[in-house]
Amino acid sequence: ECLVVYGRRRVGKTALINEFCKDKPTVFFSALNATSQENLEALSKAIYEKEHPGAETAPVYPSFDAAFAEITRMAETERLVFVIDEYPYLARANKSISSRLQHIIDHTWANSNLFLILCGSSMSFMEYQVLGYESPLYGRRTGQYKIQALTYKEMTVFNPNLTNENQALIYGITGGIPHYINKLDVEGDVDAALKENLFNTSSYLYEEPENLLKQELREPAVYNSVIAAIAGGASKANEIATKVGLESAFCAKYLKILLDLGILKKETPITEKAGRKTVYAIGDNFFRFWYRFVPQNVSAITAGRTVKRHFSDYMGLVYEQMCKEYLFLYAEDLPIILSDIGQWWGNDAKEKKEVQIDIVGTPVEGKEYIIGSCKYRNEPIGTDELELLKHYAEVFGKGEKYHYYIFSKSGFTIGLQSLGNKGEVKLITLQDMYE
């Protein structure tokens, strides 16, 4: 077997692989962001440790070919798992490694007892340099897993006794990244956990964005400025470049790398092609939370105060993300089979202003659409929201029929509930989303 496992950093790839390897003969090699020789030494040690557990020193193989020959020998007598974690580090340190692996897979390992796992966090590298058509390794994999963050509902297993509102807030802070959920370490009171484990200058999570940028990138200060510009409201490429003080072409390079890392995301009105309307946003909830609350509140954080009163406003976009996950993964009896789901924005010619629809669900076939609104407010939502949605659907204008959905954290007025009972609109509360 040759399994490719990839996904953004901290998402739990190594933990998943370790769980798989727990009761199996394994050589686990974690590549280093270092020279080819240093990686050869680390691989030699990983091979030696398989048969000499706890050894502090190990003989170094003269070449990677020699090291791989030893792996071949070990797999002759037993089913062996060979893990190369952080494979992009190794491939960058030794440009020929993918070709070497291709050769040995084709001529030796293809019919052996070996279970090879290649794992990496650089998603663009794994997709193009390992899985892509141009890669020497193309066609050698027997399986692949792109590890995603947990959904808002999956992550409740970490803190099953919390209220739905607190579960949603933890999702808004961590984005469903298991490592961040563990480090936030909520035992009951989210506010106390934030003070101790994020709004604390000596805590792991307080340092995480800076450490991650340093670990991944050569110019962390520039990337920090790009993310900060977007957090501050710049969304178009030229706005971001101006705010950071870079030429557009240079800025595009930084934006692409942050997209590859999963820190940023690109958004275009659904049903439209990428172009003039394309905007950039922070796609990683943890980064969005940190850049929203930490830099401008350092003095308050140092004094031990939190910024809790602003959380409801922050949660608006998070709630939209949750509602999309609900429709795609958990909703029953949808009126259409969804092809895609996203935001839409465009000009209202009558009102002469831009309108934005929180959720548009597009059909696999036909011209029926879901049009949705998401309200994370401490008040019930009334009939005026449905009227607004109907008007927005007219502005959108691409469907022959629309199915209206309104999501509300705090429920609905009696008037809107009566329309829901008549089937004019589907009404969904936060409680409904967790059932």
Side-chain angles (χ1 to χ4, degrees), residues 344 355-357 387-397:
W344 183 87
V355 302
Q356 182 169 315
I357 307 174
E387 293 309 309
L388 196 61
L389 264 190
K390 288 179 177 178
H391 173 63
Y392 285 178
E394 284 179 24
V395 178
F396 175 68

Side-chain angles (χ1 to χ4, degrees), residues 26-271:
T26 302
V27 172
F28 195 108
F29 164 49
S30 188
L32 308 171
N33 191 7
T35 65
S36 179
Q37 181 59 31
E38 287 171 299
N39 273 288
L40 179 59
E41 290 168 10
L43 173 59
S44 300
K45 191 168 190 297
I47 293 170
Y48 193 73
E49 277 184 343
K50 159 73 171 61
E51 292 174 346
H52 304 85
E56 291 187 12
T57 58
V60 179
Y61 291 96
S63 66
F64 281 99
D65 287 340
F68 292 152
E70 179 62 14
I71 294 286
T72 304
R73 185 196 65 75
M74 294 164 80
E76 285 173 357
T77 55
E78 61 182 351
R79 179 73 157 155
L80 179 72
V81 182
F82 177 33
V83 180
I84 305 180
D85 198 6
E86 298 298 357
Y87 180 71
Y89 286 161
L90 177 62
R92 287 183 189 124
N94 187 307
K95 304 296 184 192
S96 67
I97 204 75
S98 291
S99 295
R100 290 175 187 279
L101 279 173
Q102 176 230 319
H103 186 269
I104 198 167
I105 287 169
D106 289 351
H107 294 93
T108 308
W109 290 350
N111 298 309
S112 73
N113 287 318
L114 195 66
F115 195 114
L116 174 65
I117 299 176
L118 301 178
C119 180
S121 300
S122 174
M123 293 201 275
S124 62
F125 185 96
M126 297 301 287
E127 286 173 344
Y128 297 114
Q129 304 295 322
V130 177
L131 297 169
Y133 185 71
E134 302 292 325
S135 168
L137 294 170
Y138 178 76
R140 271 74 188 176
R141 75 190 186 288
T142 55
Q144 68 189 67
Y145 292 106
K146 183 177 183 179
I147 309 302
Q148 306 280 10
L150 302 176
T151 68
Y152 77 89
K153 206 167 178 181
E154 288 169 341
M155 54 162 284
T156 58
V157 297
F158 284 80
N159 307 100
N161 299 320
L162 295 181
T163 65
N164 294 332
E165 196 170 332
N166 275 335
Q167 294 284 12
L169 180 57
I170 294 173
Y171 182 68
I173 296 165
T174 65
I177 299 295
H179 187 64
Y180 297 157
I181 300 168
N182 282 328
K183 291 294 183 184
L184 190 59
D185 195 23
V186 176
E187 293 179 358
D189 184 352
V190 180
D191 202 34
L194 278 170
K195 280 183 180 175
E196 181 66 28
N197 300 316
L198 199 156
F199 294 143
N200 173 348
T201 53
S202 61
S203 68
Y204 175 95
L205 290 176
Y206 184 89
E207 299 283 346
E208 168 67 357
E210 185 180 352
N211 287 340
L212 194 61
L213 294 179
K214 281 179 182 172
Q215 185 177 349
E216 291 286 342
L217 306 162
R218 287 181 188 161
E219 302 168 278
V222 181
Y223 289 95
N224 176 65
S225 297
V226 171
I227 301 168
I230 295 169
S235 60
K236 295 189 174 174
N238 60 338
E239 294 172 352
I240 298 162
T242 302
K243 207 162 184 180
V244 177
L246 288 171
E247 289 182 22
S248 293
F250 282 116
C251 191
K253 181 188 76 169
Y254 294 107
L255 289 169
K256 183 183 182 306
I257 289 169
L258 289 169
L259 287 168
D260 290 342
L261 290 172
I263 294 171
L264 297 186
K265 63 181 177 180
K266 237 200 274 201
E267 293 184 329
T268 303
I270 196 163
T271 73

Side-chain angles (χ1 to χ4, degrees), residues 10 132 173 201 214-215 221 251 286 333 354 378 392 433-434:
R10 315 286 196 241
I173 296 165
T201 53
K214 281 179 182 172
Q215 185 177 349
C251 191
F286 178 75
D333 303 321
E354 186 171 88
N378 293 322
Y392 285 178
M433 290 171 66
Y434 278 102

